[in-house]
Every structure is written in structure tokens, then in C-alpha cells.
Amino acid sequence: MRRKLVEHLQGKGITDTAVLEAIGRVPRHLFIDDTAFLNKAYDDHAFPIGCGQTISQPYTVAFQSELLRSSKGMKVLEVGTGSGYQCAVLCELGLKVVSIERHRPLYLLTKSRMRDLGYKASLHHGDGYKGVEREAPFDRIIVTCGAPEVPIALLAQLKPGGRAVIPVGLGEVQRMVVIEKDMSGHCKEMDKGAFRFVPMLA
Ligand code: SAH
């Protein structure tokens, strides 16, 4: 089922082999608690994970991971841990992952799940709009909820030469924004299309 999912993602235009291999290794069925959705765990859909939140669609996870253009050993901040699925994909890419989640029950559930599965990410509970100051700076930043605007604190916590992938926009649909920070600290934004995310919470 996982192999089929990887082939499906290739068919949709994902070419980064490291990303495809990482997705091929993560047991997505172990990130879905609601047994009603278990037999669809490798379908290319988002599913409810409690607290009104969703595990991201595999295509979105693949697309954002590809846009990150990360390399092994980089330190990455994820905003919106949720189920931990995207976090696990980042771990499989060999990244040092710091992830923050707003909902305490989700944070606690995912913390024990990641421990059980042997994923060594540094998980935090709090408002990711402010980033994670004490673990900054980051080579890469990925936001997995729709931000009303590019959070200034996140840009401040991005290393010169770093890259951030942030869905930006109020309402149902967001623009996938890629931000590159050059060595002098100047940021350039690029638009990579329309996506749907659950909103970033205050
Ligand atoms: N990456 C997750 C996607 C979960 S959906 C996965 O693979 O499962 C987005 C998540 O962002 C939700 O869990 C939501 O609670 C969280 N979130 C929303 N606003 C947030 C904020 N301000 N700070 C941190 N997390 C936030």
C-alpha cells in the first residue's frame, strides 16, 4: 500500500527521491487513531485526528517536503505537529526536527506515539506563530496550518541562506509561499499554488 502511495505521488509530479523514499518508510496507519479511517490510511486524503484537526494529505506532505530542499543533518522547525506524520517524514529525511503543536491533547498523544515509533524529534506545546526561540535558528521552517500572514518571528528564527514553506491566507484556501533568506538577511517570496489547510490558531 505504501509503495502504491509512492507511485501515486510520483504520478502527481513529486520527483525528489529522498522525499519519496521517506514517505515509503513511514507507517501512516500508525498515525491515524480513528479506526473508521484505518483501511484508508494510504489513500491520498486528509483524515480527522481529534481536536478538530487533520493529518495532512500525503501529496501535501510530499509537496511541502520537496519544496523545503533540505539536506541531511539540517535543523528544521515544523509548526503544527498534529499526528506527527509530517514530522516522521522529516525525521526519515535525516533532519533534526523541532515541532510545536497548539493543542495540548494532540501534543501529548503524538509525543508518546513518536517515542513508541522511535522518532527522535524535539516536540513542544505552544503557539508556533512565535516559533521556538530557545531552539532557533533553523535551516528550514515548515508550517502545516494556514497562517493569516507570514509570521515575523519565524522569519527572524530562519538562518541566513535558509528556506521556509508556509501556507498563507485567511479563509478556506491558502497560497503555498516559499521564502528564501539570503546571506544578508533579505527575504524573497515565491508562490507555489493553492492549497487547503486548517487555520493557524492564536
Ligand atoms: N503536520 C500535521 C498536520 C496537522 S494539521 C500532520 O502531519 O498530522 C495542523 C496542525 O497545526 C493541527 O494539529 C493544529 O492544532 C496545529 N496548529 C494550529 N495553529 C497552531 C499554532 N499557532 N501553533 C502550533 N500549532 C498549531
Side-chain angles (χ1 to χ4, degrees), residues 146-186:
E149 66 214 17
V150 175
I152 303 291
L154 294 188
L155 293 188
Q157 291 173 24
L158 188 61
K159 280 186 197 172
R163 198 171 160 89
V165 179
I166 310 179
V168 181
L170 288 166
E172 297 265 297
V173 180
Q174 288 78 35
R175 306 303 306 176
M176 189 69 80
V177 175
V178 170
I179 296 163
E180 278 176 0
K181 192 187 236 189
D182 68 19
M183 297 316 278
S184 59
H186 180 78

Side-chain angles (χ1 to χ4, degrees), residues 53-54 56 78 80-83 86 101-103 127-128 144 201:
Q53 306 305 317
T54 54
S56 297
E78 178 195 24
T81 316
S83 68
Q86 170 77 72
E101 169 57 46
R102 188 81 194 87
H103 282 293
D127 181 7
T144 70
L201 309 163

Side-chain angles (χ1 to χ4, degrees), residues 63-64 66-70 74 76-77 129 138-143 145 147-169 175-183 185-193 200:
F63 189 71
Q64 285 195 284
E66 184 166 82
L67 284 178
L68 269 184
R69 292 205 202 145
S70 60
M74 283 184 167
V76 56
L77 171 66
Y129 196 84
F138 302 98
D139 299 289
R140 298 287 185 267
I141 295 178
I142 174 171
V143 177
C145 43
E149 66 214 17
V150 175
I152 303 291
L154 294 188
L155 293 188
Q157 291 173 24
L158 188 61
K159 280 186 197 172
R163 198 171 160 89
V165 179
I166 310 179
V168 181
R175 306 303 306 176
M176 189 69 80
V177 175
V178 170
I179 296 163
E180 278 176 0
K181 192 187 236 189
D182 68 19
M183 297 316 278
H186 180 78
C187 289
K188 185 176 83 180
E189 283 189 21
M190 288 157 284
D191 186 326
K192 299 293 179 178
M200 188 178 235

